[in-house]
Each structure stands twice: as structure tokens, then as C-alpha cells.
Amino acid sequence: CTYSLNDPFNGCNKTLDLLGGDYGDSGLDMALYIGNMTMVAGINPNISALESASHPNTATTFNYWFVKFNWANDFDISAFTAMEIDLIAPSGSDFNVTLTQWIPQTAGVRDGNGTRGIDSAYHLLSSYLTPDGTEQTLLLPLSDYATNLDGAAYDLTNVKDLTLVNLEPVNATFVFTRITLVGNCSSSSSSSAATGTKTGSSATASATSKSTTGAAPAGPAAAWVGVAVALLAALVTTAL
């Protein structure tokens, strides 16, 4: 990777692929293959205090993986309704899902200049589905991420990246084959949100396992499509 020794957050933990993908990890053993990416959960005891102001009142971080939506660290995801991930997670495994926040130096200018804000609410994998070692589809309605960890509004127009936090147990292997943004062809608004039932949400909550079924909007807005925007389609060289 190309990195600056003076930039610990965008340095050797970053991976760049031939399609322009920009993602990174710490405390994980990540490998890329044609059609999938694997991650083996581990522990990095040195990351617990990094950027701690961005994720208040959460459990201690011991590993993470992130994927950016664009090179400027600043993406407007508000026109979409959900994110969808195809993955294989072993029985009993879990992780948190969050969107990190970017505060641009100049409002409306996406030039990579800015600062890290407060992460969106954390939601457990197991609050959406019960990992069972088979390939499953994880639907993440963006409405679940509309508030940040302080309870204030999360700005979906300035998203830094999608981050998975504290993949566990240690040595568990996770396989990811597809990540897409889900939108609605008949509307550029996020008002037709994906729906589903789930329980549990916080980083410290007990992992109550419930299945979630995402439903398409009703009526004319039912043109429900997956839109690949610089995620696994571009970042992990996977065949869609």
C-alpha cells in the first residue's frame, strides 16, 4: 500500500486493489480472492484508544474492518435506503456495524479535508440475523443509522465509511461475497426505507438473535434494486 509514516489512521492498515477499492483493518487477518474476501478475527491491543472521541460509550475496540464509499472519505448516502451484505458467519459469531462520520472543512466540498465526527449508532449482526455458517444476506436499513452514539442526528450526507467493529470470537472466519447499496429507481429520496424487524442494537447489549426480512416498498416505488457503489463490487474484485 501507499502510505505516510505520519498518518497512523490511513497508513499500513489500508489495502488498495486494482479496481480502486479503498479499505482497511486492524486486528484481523484479511485475504482477498476472486469472488470473496475472508477475515479471521484476532485482537490488536494497541487500537483501543485510537480516535476514542468518535465512538463514546462503546465497548473497547479490539479489531475492525472498514470500506470507503469514495476516495474523499466523504459520501452522500442519503439517496439510498439500505446496505446489503452477503456473508458467511459461523454460528455464535457477532460484530457491530456502524457508519463513521466525516465533517468536511468546507461545507459542500468533498476534497478529503475535514475531521472525524461521532459514529452512527452501533448495531449487532445478531440483531438482524442468526449466524449459522451458511451464506446469508444481511439487510441494513439506513434508518437504523440515522442517529449517532450521542443520540444526535447522524449526517447521512457526509459518510466516511462503513465499519465492522469487534468481530468475534477470536479465530472465527468470516467470508464476504457482496456488499451493495440499495436504492429505489423511482425515487432519489431515502423516504422509502427498507423495513424489517430486529431486536438489540448497542455495542454493549446482549446479542439477541432474530432474523430480519427486508421488504421492498409498496406501490409504484416497488422497483427495488441493488446499486453497487465502490463496495465489494469494486473493492474486492468479486463477480456479481
Side-chain angles (χ1 to χ4, degrees):
C1 65
T2 302
Y3 64 94
S4 165
L5 292 176
N6 297 318
D7 186 358
F9 301 119
N10 288 299
C12 280
N13 68 333
K14 283 180 54 155
T15 301
L16 309 177
D17 71 15
L18 297 177
L19 292 177
D22 189 349
Y23 41 87
D25 67 278
S26 187
L28 301 167
D29 185 7
M30 185 181 74
L32 303 177
Y33 303 95
I34 300 298
N36 66 68
M37 173 186 66
T38 65
M39 284 186 277
V40 180
I43 295 177
N44 182 348
N46 300 316
I47 62 174
S48 59
L50 294 181
E51 298 184 307
S52 58
S54 67
H55 44 90
N57 305 313
T58 60
T60 300
T61 300
F62 51 83
N63 65 42
Y64 64 82
W65 176 85
F66 68 83
V67 57
K68 293 184 180 181
F69 296 88
N70 62 12
W71 283 88
N73 296 333
D74 189 359
F75 184 75
D76 182 354
I77 203 174
S78 64
F80 300 92
T81 57
M83 297 172 289
E84 202 171 75
I85 302 175
D86 288 346
L87 78 163
I88 300 171
S91 297
S93 64
D94 218 344
F95 55 74
N96 288 290
V97 181
T98 186
L99 293 173
T100 58
Q101 186 77 81
W102 191 249
I103 303 174
Q105 188 176 77
T106 304
V109 177
R110 302 183 193 279
D111 57 6
N113 294 317
T115 57
R116 177 88 177 265
I118 303 295
D119 294 352
S120 77
Y122 279 32
H123 292 281
L124 289 164
L125 167 69
S126 61
S127 71
Y128 293 103
L129 55 78
T130 302
D132 62 7
T134 67
E135 186 164 31
Q136 297 171 284
T137 297
L138 170 64
L139 179 67
L140 303 166
L142 289 180
S143 57
D144 286 357
Y145 301 88
T147 58
N148 68 23
L149 289 167
D150 279 341
Y154 176 86
D155 183 5
L156 291 168
T157 68
N158 292 288
V159 178
K160 182 177 182 289
D161 53 52
L162 165 67
T163 301
L164 309 183
V165 182
N166 289 352
L167 290 83
E168 59 181 346
V170 172
N171 295 322
T173 298
F174 298 82
V175 180
F176 296 82
T177 57
R178 182 180 64 91
I179 301 178
T180 59
L181 289 175
V182 177
N184 189 311
C185 282
S186 61
S187 173
S188 61
S189 169
S190 59
S191 60
S192 299
T195 60
T197 57
K198 70 179 189 64
T199 58
S201 61
S202 72
T204 56
S206 61
T208 302
S209 299
K210 297 288 184 182
S211 296
T212 293
T213 301
W224 196 244
V225 295
V227 183
V229 179
L231 297 180
L232 279 189
L235 300 180
V236 188
T237 321
T238 186
L240 295 179

